[in-house]
Amino acid sequence: MNTNSEFVAANVYPYNTSNAFRWIVSHILRYKFVLLGMIAAYLVAWNAFAYGRILIGEAADEIAEPSGGNAILWLSLGVLGLLVVDGVLSLVGALFNEALAKRFERDARDELFTSLLGKSQTFHDRQRVGDIMARATDDTQSLSTMVSPGLLFIIVDLIFGFTVPTIFIATVNWQLVLVPILFIAIYAVLVRSYVNRLSPVVTQQRALFGKMNAGLEETITGIEVVKAASQEMFERFKFRRSATQFRDYFVEQGRIEAFYMPLLAYGIAFGLMFAHAMYLFRADVIDLGDIVAVMGLMALLRFPTFISLFALALLQLGVASADRILAIVNAETQLDENADGHTATVDGRIQFENVTFGYDERSTVLSDISFEIEPGQTVAIVGQTGSGKSTLTQLVNRTYDVTD
C-alpha cells in the first residue's frame, strides 16, 4: 500500500490490497483452518446426501425384484443414517461459515478505521462523512453476507452441488454423464453473461447508496442552516432524487435476475436426462433402480442452479463493497516529508515563503503568503470571518499541508 500516513498502527495484519479479489482472498485465508473445516464438513455432507440417492435406487430394485431377507430394512436404515450425517455435518459447516463471515466483517471494518487514522486532515476534509459511514457499516456488512451465505452457496452448492452428483451418476453408468456435462457447460456460458450484465448495476447501486447516505447525513448535521434558509423543500427533493436513483438500480437488478436463463436450461436438461435414461433402459444397459438413482441425482442439480441466482448477486455486492473500502484504504495522502530527517536547535522562528493552500483543487484559501516571525515576537492575525486566519495557524503545526 503506497500511502504516506501521519500515524502508523502497530501489529497490523498485512492484507493484499492490490485489487478487490486478492484482498478478499487474503482476508479469508487469514482463517484458513476455519475455511478448511467448512469445506471438509460440506464435502462429506454432499457425498452422504448423494450416496443416499444410490441406495434409494437399490431399494427400487429390491421392491421390483425382492431378494428376500431384510434388504429393504437395511437399505432404509442406510438412507436414514446418511441423511443424519448430512444434517449434522451441514450444521457444523454452517457454524464454520458464519464464524468466517463475522471475522471478515470485523477485520475489514478494523482495517478501514486503522487506515482512516493514518490519513491527513486534508484527506478527511475532502471526504463526505455519510459516505465513509456507509462504507464502514453497509459495505462491511455486504462482505459478511458475501461469505455467509454467499461463500456457502458458491463453494458448497455450486461446486459440490454440480461435481458430486455428476461423479455419482458416472458410477451408475458412464454414458449418463453426457447430459449433466453438457448442461454444466451451457450453464457456465449463461452465468458469465448474467454476471457481466449484473456487475455494473450492482457497482452503481453501492455507489449511489454511499451518495444518498452522505447527502442525508449532511442535511441532518446542518439542519439549523437548512431551516434558517428555508431550504426544506430543496433538501427533500435532493434526497428523493438520490433515493429514486438507488431504487431504479434495485429494480434493474431484479429485472436482470428475472431473466435468469440457467433455470430454463436445467428444465430442458432434466427432460433430456430422463429421455436418455429411458433409451438406455430399453437397450438393457441400465435397470429400473439405475433410472431412479440417476434421476434423483439429476434432481440435486436443481438447487445449485437456482441458488446461484442469489449467490452470484451476493458475490457481486461483496466485490463492489470491497472496491469501495479499498478506495479509502489505498488512497494516497501526499505529505511533504523529509525522510532523511533534520537536526537543529529549536529557536521558535517561523517563516512562510510563497505559501499557497486550498482545501481542494477548485478553491484557494491562501495565495502566495510570505512572512517571518522571530523568536519571542508576538504577532496578531486579523481579518474577516473566512479570510483564512485559522487555516494559517493550522498550517504552522502541519494539521494541513501546503498546496504549493
Side-chain angles (χ1 to χ4, degrees):
M1 180 171 57
N2 299 321
T3 303
N4 297 323
S5 297
E6 290 187 314
F7 309 100
V8 179
N11 303 319
V12 175
Y13 188 89
Y15 298 105
N16 189 332
T17 58
S18 56
N19 59 53
F21 177 76
R22 292 179 180 177
W23 181 72
I24 291 170
V25 171
S26 66
H27 267 276
I28 292 175
L29 290 182
R30 181 179 181 181
Y31 305 103
K32 59 177 69 70
F33 293 110
V34 179
L35 177 65
L36 291 175
M38 181 195 77
I39 293 174
Y42 277 117
L43 180 59
V44 176
W46 260 102
N47 276 274
F49 191 59
Y51 188 62
R53 297 302 188 270
I54 300 294
L55 294 186
I56 291 174
E58 293 180 7
D61 277 336
E62 184 65 25
I63 293 173
E65 299 179 4
S67 62
N70 297 319
I72 286 291
L73 175 62
W74 290 114
L75 287 170
S76 301
L77 292 176
V79 172
L80 175 62
L82 289 171
L83 293 180
V84 170
V85 171
D86 169 58
V88 171
L89 291 180
S90 294
L91 177 61
V92 173
L95 292 174
F96 278 121
N97 185 233
E98 190 65 21
L100 185 62
K102 294 308 177 186
R103 290 182 182 186
F104 186 12
E105 180 181 359
R106 177 199 64 193
D107 293 344
R109 187 176 292 119
D110 182 68
E111 184 182 6
L112 176 62
F113 286 166
T114 301
S115 172
L116 289 171
L117 288 174
K119 308 299 185 185
S120 69
Q121 187 63 40
T122 302
F123 171 85
H124 285 288
D125 284 341
R126 294 174 180 175
Q127 305 307 310
R128 303 181 74 181
V129 175
D131 185 49
I132 294 293
M133 291 304 300
R135 297 174 201 244
T137 53
D138 198 71
D139 284 325
T140 54
Q141 188 176 20
S142 293
L143 296 177
S144 176
T145 55
M146 180 188 64
V147 175
S148 178
L151 190 64
L152 169 65
F153 292 154
I154 293 168
I155 291 182
V156 176
D157 293 320
L158 287 186
I159 299 178
F160 294 165
F162 283 139
T163 57
V164 172
T166 302
I167 291 172
F168 274 95
I169 288 173
T171 62
V172 175
N173 188 286
W174 66 269
Q175 298 179 60
L176 290 168
V177 299
L178 174 62
V179 173
I181 290 177
L182 180 62
F183 164 68
I184 292 173
I186 295 174
Y187 169 85
V189 174
L190 294 175
V191 162
R192 183 176 181 180
S193 174
Y194 169 74
V195 170
N196 289 338
R197 288 181 287 118
L198 184 64
S199 180
V201 173
V202 170
T203 300
Q204 286 295 323
Q205 185 188 112
R206 290 287 83 210
L208 281 171
F209 179 83
K211 178 181 177 182
M212 180 181 68
N213 202 63
L216 181 61
E217 186 276 335
E218 291 164 0
T219 300
I220 294 174
T221 302
I223 191 64
E224 294 179 355
V225 177
V226 171
K227 289 183 174 295
S230 300
Q231 292 297 305
E232 292 92 341
M233 291 299 297
F234 172 76
E235 293 299 330
R236 289 196 191 98
F237 170 77
K238 186 173 68 173
F239 177 76
R240 190 180 298 112
R241 180 177 57 188
S242 297
T244 300
Q245 292 175 337
F246 183 57
R247 179 206 62 192
D248 289 344
Y249 276 101
F250 255 117
V251 173
E252 180 65 15
Q253 178 183 343
R255 188 188 68 81
I256 293 173
E257 292 176 352
F259 287 91
Y260 190 63
M261 300 304 295
L263 287 174
L264 175 61
Y266 169 77
I268 296 173
F270 191 85
L272 290 175
M273 184 66 175
F274 183 71
H276 190 201
M278 294 303 298
Y279 171 79
L280 294 178
F281 176 75
R282 289 176 62 85
D284 291 328
V285 176
I286 60 176
D287 56 24
L288 178 62
D290 293 334
I291 295 177
V292 174
V294 297
M295 293 312 297
L297 290 167
M298 189 65 186
L300 296 183
L301 299 182
R302 185 184 186 281
F303 183 73
T305 303
F306 167 74
I307 209 64
S308 60
L309 170 66
F310 307 102
L312 295 172
L314 292 175
L315 177 63
Q316 292 297 318
L317 282 170
V319 172
S321 296
D323 279 326
R324 282 170 47 78
I325 292 173
L326 280 181
I328 298 297
V329 173
N330 289 336
E332 294 189 358
T333 305
Q334 298 297 337
L335 300 174
D336 183 15
E337 296 180 308
N338 184 358
D340 297 329
H342 175 72
T343 302
T345 302
V346 178
D347 58 9
R349 182 171 177 269
I350 299 174
Q351 182 177 3
F352 275 50
E353 294 181 355
N354 306 111
V355 170
T356 298
F357 174 78
Y359 289 101
D360 54 46
E361 295 81 359
R362 296 170 296 178
S363 63
T364 300
V365 179
L366 301 173
S367 178
D368 198 24
I369 301 295
S370 299
F371 63 86
E372 293 184 17
I373 302 176
E374 298 297 334
Q377 184 179 4
T378 300
V379 175
I381 304 174
V382 297
Q384 296 178 344
T385 301
S387 61
K389 303 185 298 298
S390 299
T391 301
L392 186 63
T393 58
Q394 289 170 330
L395 288 175
V396 174
N397 60 18
R398 298 298 295 279
T399 298
Y400 298 109
D401 200 47
V402 299
T403 304
D404 185 27

